[in-house]
Amino acid sequence: MRRGDDDRAETVDRGRFPDARTPWDDLDRRAEALDWATGRLAAHGLRESGRRQVRLRPWSVLVRFSVDGGRDDRPVWFKAVPPAAAFEAGLAAGLAAWVPDHVLAPLAVDAERGWCLLPDGGPLFRQVLDEGAGTLADWEDALRRYAVMQRALVPYAEKVTSLGVPSARPLELPGLFDTLLAENEALTGEERAELEALRPRLVEWCAELAAVGVADSLDHADLHEGQLFRPAPGRFTFFDWGDALVGHPFSSLLVPARSAEDRFGPQALTRLRDAYLEPWTGDGIAAGDLRRAVSLAWRLAALGRAASWGRMFPAPAAPAAPGGTETAHWLRELHREPPM
């Protein structure tokens, strides 16, 4: 496909970032991506039809293709991510091989360029909740299943890091904290001093969390209700791994618990923690130690969230690292006492 050859109508959504620059704004790179995507569609016996829907964010390009030729003509999705998150494509393929019952199996991946072609996963859990067809019990079920998946992935932790997924194990977090603090330009001098004073306690939290004895695994790191599908009651599919890291699995609880708390109130927190911990019992670790580990991992999860904001498309001539304001926000969260 040559530049300008494809004039198919498309709807573009830039959300809160109307000025963000992504590869979609480069006509040559856009043509290259479309050529790859439509070629992979054809390999599956699919052809593009109808208007494209393009979602542009500083951290991803997402294109919804309407297609003909499949069994149900459900849409297919192309995703491109920045170089710092290019591991997502290879990770998606790896997860489809290791835990196929829990994730989407990509139709195609280009791990080097960070491209992925994915089938439709059905309704988002957020949509189910908005329509009144989901409850807090569904969130409990989703987190039990997510914990089961994390346990199944423990033996693959090194393979996951070999794909380029960042390592943020508990004893590595003080070093990550130092890097984030040194590189961030959005913190005030007072905030920086307060965080530096917090470091000795952070080191203690990390050591205590590591000593609990829960093995490292994959942490989605952004598992809100828009990051999982619920195609049918009792079924959940996890996706969107651009913020992922390898670290203490319990750090995963921060985002979904806050998401559920916003919808169902603070009574959701204990229920979700207990549901999430069910698959982790029986390994000789006392229930009280598991709950303490949740509290420690909850607070330290802010570091993974802070780091993920650096994985954005580079902005030409930007005066500061991308995501600096958001990174500073999550560093400040280290001061907040966990609610459990």
Side-chain angles (χ1 to χ4, degrees):
M1 180 187 297
R2 297 185 306 274
R3 179 173 137 175
D5 281 357
D6 187 5
D7 58 358
R8 184 181 299 277
E10 62 183 34
T11 301
V12 178
D13 167 21
R14 293 182 180 269
R16 300 183 291 114
F17 308 93
D19 299 323
R21 299 287 296 177
T22 74
W24 202 254
D25 299 300
D26 183 312
L27 294 181
D28 290 324
R29 295 176 71 185
R30 183 194 309 182
E32 182 183 6
L34 286 172
D35 194 35
W36 181 86
T38 55
R40 299 315 181 273
L41 287 173
H44 286 274
L46 302 172
R47 58 184 179 277
E48 186 179 4
S49 65
R51 178 184 290 267
R52 293 187 195 118
Q53 296 180 19
V54 182
R55 180 183 180 272
L56 303 180
R57 297 294 186 268
W59 53 85
S60 68
V61 171
L62 191 64
V63 183
R64 180 188 186 276
F65 292 106
S66 298
V67 296
D68 293 328
R71 286 181 297 178
D72 53 13
D73 291 339
R74 293 170 70 179
V76 173
W77 303 81
F78 165 79
K79 185 174 185 180
V81 294
F87 61 79
E88 183 178 359
L91 177 59
L95 293 175
W98 303 326
V99 286
D101 293 339
H102 299 280
V103 298
L104 290 177
L107 300 176
V109 299
D110 186 320
E112 183 175 347
R113 292 188 286 191
W115 293 351
C116 200
L117 197 66
L118 294 161
D120 187 69
L124 290 173
F125 188 34
R126 174 183 292 153
Q127 177 185 344
V128 173
L129 292 169
D130 287 346
E131 293 173 352
T135 66
L136 181 57
D138 290 301
W139 251 129
E140 293 176 278
D141 191 19
L143 286 179
R144 287 189 197 96
R145 294 172 186 272
Y146 176 70
V148 168
M149 181 187 71
Q150 285 184 300
R151 285 177 62 86
L153 287 170
V154 166
Y156 298 97
E158 294 305 323
K159 288 186 177 181
V160 172
T161 54
S162 73
L163 295 172
V165 178
S167 179
R169 294 165 168 85
L171 296 182
E172 297 170 338
L173 291 178
L176 176 60
F177 170 83
D178 293 340
T179 298
L180 292 170
L181 194 60
E183 293 179 351
N184 189 269
E185 299 180 17
L187 292 164
T188 67
E190 181 179 357
E191 290 170 336
R192 189 176 301 278
E194 290 172 348
L195 285 166
E196 289 172 348
L198 185 67
R199 191 184 191 281
R201 293 183 64 200
L202 184 143
V203 171
E204 293 174 356
W205 296 330
C206 293
E208 184 180 357
L209 181 59
V212 171
V214 176
D216 299 319
S217 185
L218 183 66
D219 174 7
H220 184 287
D222 193 26
L223 190 62
H224 56 72
E225 57 194 25
Q227 303 281 47
L228 65 159
F229 298 110
R230 206 214 60 174
R235 289 183 55 201
F236 296 92
T237 305
F238 306 99
F239 73 103
D240 202 341
W241 300 96
D243 292 331
L245 50 85
V246 173
H248 198 286
F250 292 7
S251 292
S252 291
L253 192 58
L254 170 68
V255 172
R258 283 188 172 181
S259 181
E261 182 184 21
D262 288 344
R263 188 179 290 269
F264 297 106
Q267 70 274 12
L269 296 179
T270 301
R271 286 181 56 178
L272 292 184
R273 178 199 64 192
D274 292 347
Y276 174 76
L277 286 178
E278 284 180 20
W280 297 99
T281 60
D283 291 339
I285 302 175
D289 291 338
L290 290 174
R291 290 193 292 270
R292 173 59 178 164
V294 166
S295 180
L296 292 164
W298 178 291
R299 190 195 293 261
L300 294 169
L303 290 171
R305 298 296 302 128
S308 71
W309 279 101
R311 302 176 208 167
M312 303 199 331
F313 290 113
T325 299
E326 293 82 2
T327 295
H329 162 77
W330 282 105
L331 288 171
R332 296 184 199 104
E333 287 287 297
L334 290 166
H335 293 294
R336 181 184 291 194
E337 289 293 328
M340 296 182 289

